[in-house]
Amino acid sequence: MKVTLVQGDITGQQVDAIVNAANSSLLGGGGVDGAIHRRGGPDILAACRHLRATTYPDGLPTGQAVATTAGRLPAHSVIHTAGPVYSTKEDRSPLLASCYRESLRVADELAATTVAFPAISTGIYRWPMRNAAHIAISTVRATPSQVHEVRFVLFGAEAYAVFEQVLGA
Ligand code: AR6
Protein backbone atom coordinates (compact mmCIF):
# COMPACT_ATOMS: atom_id res chain seq x y z
CA MET A 1 0.00 0.00 0.00
CA LYS A 2 1.28 3.41 -1.02
CA VAL A 3 0.65 6.31 1.38
CA THR A 4 0.55 9.71 -0.32
CA LEU A 5 -0.10 13.27 0.86
CA VAL A 6 -1.94 16.07 -0.90
CA GLN A 7 -2.72 19.56 0.30
CA GLY A 8 -6.21 20.64 -0.71
CA ASP A 9 -9.92 19.97 -0.64
CA ILE A 10 -10.90 16.32 -0.31
CA THR A 11 -14.13 16.81 -2.29
CA GLY A 12 -12.14 17.28 -5.52
CA GLN A 13 -10.22 14.01 -5.27
CA GLN A 14 -10.66 11.46 -8.06
CA VAL A 15 -10.50 8.26 -6.09
CA ASP A 16 -12.66 5.19 -5.59
CA ALA A 17 -13.69 6.29 -2.11
CA ILE A 18 -13.56 9.50 -0.11
CA VAL A 19 -13.73 9.19 3.67
CA ASN A 20 -16.00 11.63 5.48
CA ALA A 21 -15.16 12.87 8.99
CA ALA A 22 -18.81 12.55 9.92
CA ASN A 23 -20.67 12.26 13.22
CA SER A 24 -22.88 9.51 14.60
CA SER A 25 -26.07 11.14 13.34
CA LEU A 26 -24.88 10.74 9.71
CA LEU A 27 -27.09 13.73 8.96
CA GLY A 28 -24.43 16.28 8.12
CA GLY A 29 -22.41 18.97 9.84
CA GLY A 30 -19.57 21.41 9.19
CA GLY A 31 -15.97 20.91 8.03
CA VAL A 32 -15.34 18.00 5.66
CA ASP A 33 -18.87 16.69 6.23
CA GLY A 34 -20.46 19.98 5.18
CA ALA A 35 -18.21 20.23 2.11
CA ILE A 36 -18.99 16.65 1.01
CA HIS A 37 -22.76 17.14 1.25
CA ARG A 38 -22.62 20.57 -0.44
CA ARG A 39 -20.57 19.42 -3.37
CA GLY A 40 -21.92 15.87 -3.58
CA GLY A 41 -25.57 16.91 -3.67
CA PRO A 42 -28.71 15.52 -1.99
CA ASP A 43 -28.26 11.84 -2.93
CA ILE A 44 -25.66 11.41 -0.17
CA LEU A 45 -27.99 12.74 2.54
CA ALA A 46 -30.82 10.61 1.19
CA ALA A 47 -28.59 7.53 1.49
CA CYS A 48 -27.59 8.54 5.03
CA ARG A 49 -31.24 8.98 6.04
CA HIS A 50 -31.94 5.53 4.65
CA LEU A 51 -29.13 4.07 6.78
CA ARG A 52 -30.61 5.77 9.86
CA ALA A 53 -34.01 4.30 9.03
CA THR A 54 -32.59 0.79 8.57
CA THR A 55 -29.16 -0.34 9.82
CA TYR A 56 -28.33 2.48 12.24
CA PRO A 57 -31.51 3.70 13.97
CA ASP A 58 -29.40 4.97 16.91
CA GLY A 59 -26.67 6.40 14.69
CA LEU A 60 -23.26 5.16 13.58
CA PRO A 61 -21.17 4.28 16.65
CA THR A 62 -17.91 6.23 17.08
CA GLY A 63 -15.03 4.36 15.42
CA GLN A 64 -17.22 2.59 12.87
CA ALA A 65 -17.65 3.27 9.14
CA VAL A 66 -20.32 2.86 6.48
CA ALA A 67 -20.46 3.60 2.73
CA THR A 68 -22.90 5.52 0.56
CA THR A 69 -23.00 6.85 -2.97
CA ALA A 70 -20.71 9.82 -3.64
CA GLY A 71 -23.48 11.67 -5.50
CA ARG A 72 -21.91 14.26 -7.80
CA LEU A 73 -18.41 13.98 -6.32
CA PRO A 74 -15.65 12.70 -8.62
CA ALA A 75 -15.41 9.51 -6.53
CA HIS A 76 -17.40 6.31 -6.57
CA SER A 77 -18.31 6.13 -2.89
CA VAL A 78 -18.20 8.06 0.35
CA ILE A 79 -17.19 6.14 3.47
CA HIS A 80 -18.62 7.90 6.51
CA THR A 81 -16.82 7.40 9.79
CA ALA A 82 -17.57 8.96 13.17
CA GLY A 83 -14.37 10.12 14.86
CA PRO A 84 -14.02 10.66 18.61
CA VAL A 85 -14.05 14.12 20.16
CA TYR A 86 -10.59 14.76 21.65
CA SER A 87 -10.40 14.45 25.42
CA THR A 88 -7.59 15.31 27.84
CA LYS A 89 -9.23 13.16 30.54
CA GLU A 90 -9.51 9.93 28.59
CA ASP A 91 -7.39 8.28 25.88
CA ARG A 92 -9.66 7.83 22.90
CA SER A 93 -6.83 6.88 20.50
CA PRO A 94 -8.21 3.36 19.94
CA LEU A 95 -11.42 4.89 18.60
CA LEU A 96 -9.52 7.17 16.22
CA ALA A 97 -7.42 4.22 15.01
CA SER A 98 -10.63 2.24 14.56
CA CYS A 99 -11.97 4.90 12.16
CA TYR A 100 -9.04 4.28 9.80
CA ARG A 101 -9.16 0.50 10.18
CA GLU A 102 -12.92 0.26 9.70
CA SER A 103 -12.84 2.65 6.73
CA LEU A 104 -10.26 0.40 5.04
CA ARG A 105 -12.40 -2.64 5.82
CA VAL A 106 -15.38 -0.97 4.13
CA ALA A 107 -13.11 0.06 1.23
CA ASP A 108 -12.21 -3.61 0.77
CA GLU A 109 -15.89 -4.53 0.73
CA LEU A 110 -16.37 -1.96 -2.04
CA ALA A 111 -13.29 -3.25 -3.89
CA ALA A 112 -11.95 0.31 -3.74
CA THR A 113 -8.24 0.56 -4.49
CA THR A 114 -7.72 4.31 -4.03
CA VAL A 115 -9.00 5.96 -0.87
CA ALA A 116 -8.73 9.59 0.25
CA PHE A 117 -8.79 10.34 3.98
CA PRO A 118 -9.04 13.68 5.76
CA ALA A 119 -7.30 14.15 9.11
CA ILE A 120 -10.23 12.72 11.08
CA SER A 121 -11.14 14.48 14.37
CA THR A 122 -8.56 17.29 13.93
CA GLY A 123 -11.09 20.04 13.19
CA ILE A 124 -14.30 20.54 15.13
CA TYR A 125 -13.33 17.54 17.33
CA ARG A 126 -10.03 19.30 18.30
CA TRP A 127 -7.58 16.35 18.13
CA PRO A 128 -3.96 17.66 18.09
CA MET A 129 -2.64 17.32 14.51
CA ARG A 130 0.69 15.63 15.23
CA ASN A 131 -0.80 12.92 17.41
CA ALA A 132 -3.65 12.42 14.93
CA ALA A 133 -1.11 12.07 12.10
CA HIS A 134 0.79 9.39 14.03
CA ILE A 135 -2.38 7.42 14.66
CA ALA A 136 -3.57 7.83 11.06
CA ILE A 137 -0.32 6.80 9.39
CA SER A 138 0.59 3.96 11.77
CA THR A 139 -2.92 2.51 11.59
CA VAL A 140 -3.20 2.47 7.80
CA ARG A 141 0.28 0.97 7.55
CA ALA A 142 -0.64 -1.76 10.02
CA THR A 143 -3.99 -2.62 8.42
CA PRO A 144 -3.98 -5.39 5.81
CA SER A 145 -6.12 -4.35 2.85
CA GLN A 146 -6.51 -4.52 -0.91
CA VAL A 147 -6.23 -0.72 -1.15
CA HIS A 148 -3.29 0.33 -3.37
CA GLU A 149 -3.19 4.00 -2.42
CA VAL A 150 -4.19 5.77 0.78
CA ARG A 151 -4.14 9.48 0.08
CA PHE A 152 -4.26 11.84 3.03
CA VAL A 153 -5.79 15.13 1.94
CA LEU A 154 -4.74 17.91 4.29
CA PHE A 155 -6.53 21.20 4.38
CA GLY A 156 -3.63 23.59 4.88
CA ALA A 157 0.14 23.96 4.68
CA GLU A 158 0.52 23.37 8.42
CA ALA A 159 -1.41 20.10 8.47
CA TYR A 160 0.44 18.97 5.34
CA ALA A 161 3.83 19.72 6.93
CA VAL A 162 2.95 17.75 10.06
CA PHE A 163 1.85 14.70 8.05
CA GLU A 164 4.98 14.97 5.89
CA GLN A 165 7.19 14.90 8.99
CA VAL A 166 5.35 11.97 10.54
CA LEU A 167 5.37 10.03 7.25
CA GLY A 168 9.10 10.59 6.83
CA ALA A 169 9.99 9.69 10.43
N1 AR6 B 1 -10.95 18.89 2.62
C1 AR6 B 1 -9.99 18.36 3.39
N2 AR6 B 1 -9.85 18.63 4.70
C2 AR6 B 1 -10.74 19.47 5.24
C3 AR6 B 1 -11.81 20.06 4.51
C4 AR6 B 1 -11.89 19.73 3.13
N3 AR6 B 1 -12.85 20.23 2.34
N4 AR6 B 1 -12.54 20.84 5.36
C5 AR6 B 1 -11.96 20.74 6.58
N5 AR6 B 1 -10.88 19.94 6.51
P1 AR6 B 1 -13.61 18.42 10.57
P2 AR6 B 1 -13.75 16.47 12.80
C6 AR6 B 1 -9.95 19.52 7.59
O1 AR6 B 1 -14.02 19.52 11.47
O2 AR6 B 1 -12.75 17.23 13.58
C7 AR6 B 1 -18.57 17.96 11.38
O3 AR6 B 1 -19.54 18.90 11.80
C8 AR6 B 1 -9.97 20.31 8.87
O4 AR6 B 1 -9.12 21.44 8.77
O5 AR6 B 1 -14.20 18.31 9.23
O6 AR6 B 1 -13.63 14.98 12.67
C9 AR6 B 1 -19.06 16.54 11.48
O7 AR6 B 1 -20.43 16.43 11.16
C10 AR6 B 1 -9.45 19.28 9.85
O8 AR6 B 1 -8.02 19.21 9.83
O9 AR6 B 1 -13.89 16.98 11.26
C11 AR6 B 1 -18.81 16.21 12.93
O10 AR6 B 1 -19.85 16.70 13.75
C12 AR6 B 1 -9.97 17.95 9.33
O11 AR6 B 1 -10.35 18.21 7.97
C13 AR6 B 1 -17.53 16.96 13.23
O12 AR6 B 1 -17.48 18.03 12.30
C14 AR6 B 1 -11.19 17.41 10.07
O13 AR6 B 1 -12.03 18.49 10.46
C15 AR6 B 1 -16.32 16.11 13.00
O14 AR6 B 1 -15.17 16.81 13.41
Side-chain angles (χ1 to χ4, degrees):
M1 179 198 289
K2 188 171 68 163
V3 177
T4 58
L5 307 180
V6 165
Q7 188 186 324
D9 181 345
I10 198 165
T11 64
Q13 299 298 310
Q14 296 191 7
V15 284
D16 293 332
I18 287 176
V19 177
N20 182 16
N23 61 63
S24 292
S25 83
L26 290 174
L27 300 178
V32 171
D33 201 5
I36 283 176
H37 284 285
R38 254 192 322 277
R39 190 156 170 189
D43 288 359
I44 302 175
L45 188 59
C48 287
R49 285 192 198 285
H50 180 72
L51 283 169
R52 285 300 307 275
T54 54
T55 323
Y56 295 107
D58 300 322
L60 178 70
T62 303
Q64 294 192 23
V66 66
T68 67
T69 173
R72 296 195 286 260
L73 295 175
H76 190 263
S77 306
V78 171
I79 298 172
H80 306 264
T81 188
V85 176
Y86 183 70
S87 167
T88 51
K89 298 190 181 71
E90 185 188 15
D91 181 12
R92 298 177 181 166
S93 307
L95 285 170
L96 184 56
S98 174
C99 289
Y100 288 97
R101 217 169 24 243
E102 288 297 305
S103 296
L104 288 174
R105 190 184 58 73
V106 172
D108 275 353
E109 283 175 6
L110 297 167
T113 60
T114 51
V115 179
F117 279 97
I120 299 165
S121 290
T122 63
I124 292 164
Y125 286 174
R126 304 186 314 274
W127 205 291
M129 190 61 76
R130 186 166 300 273
N131 185 247
H134 273 287
I135 292 168
I137 290 169
S138 62
T139 304
V140 301
R141 278 180 168 161
T143 304
S145 136
Q146 300 304 308
V147 173
H148 297 169
E149 182 190 358
V150 164
R151 188 182 303 169
F152 288 104
V153 183
L154 294 322
F155 207 42
E158 232 172 277
Y160 182 89
V162 170
F163 266 73
E164 201 176 30
Q165 282 172 13
V166 173
L167 189 62

